[in-house]
Amino acid sequence: MTDYIKELYFREIKPAHGPLDFSDIPSCAEACQAYERCLSALPEDAGENLEGAVFDWIEACNQACFARGFQLGLQMMKWAAP
C-alpha cells in the first residue's frame, strides 16, 4: 500500500497533472526567500550539503502528508458510504 501511495504522490506532482504551484501563496514565497537568504549566508560547501538534506527532508514530509491525506480521504469515503 505504501508503494501505491508513493506512486500516486509522484504522479500528482508531475507536470502532466498540474503540479502544485505555491508561488501564488505569499507565505510560501516569503519562506522560500528566507531559506535562500539563510543558505546564501553559509559557506558554499555547507550550503550544498544543507540544501540537499533540506530538500530530502521536505520530500519525505510531503510524501507523509500525502499518504495521511489519502488515508483520511479513504476513511471519509467509507464513513459517507450508505
Side-chain angles (χ1 to χ4, degrees):
M1 181 68 161
T2 303
D3 290 335
Y4 178 68
I5 292 172
K6 258 187 177 178
E7 182 183 326
L8 283 175
Y9 169 76
F10 285 120
R11 187 173 39 166
E12 286 303 313
I13 63 172
K14 287 185 180 178
H17 292 280
L20 295 173
D21 182 15
F22 297 107
S23 61
D24 292 337
I25 304 170
S27 60
C28 290
E30 291 167 8
C32 182
Q33 291 170 356
Y35 169 74
E36 289 175 357
R37 283 192 303 272
C38 290
L39 196 58
S40 67
L42 295 172
E44 188 173 323
D45 59 340
E48 290 175 9
N49 292 335
L50 179 62
E51 185 173 12
V54 167
F55 283 117
D56 289 346
W57 174 58
I58 290 170
E59 187 70 20
C61 290
N62 288 342
Q63 288 179 17
C65 290
F66 181 84
R68 182 63 180 146
F70 184 77
Q71 291 171 345
L72 289 173
L74 290 175
Q75 289 174 1
M76 289 175 67
M77 286 176 49
K78 185 177 175 182
W79 173 78

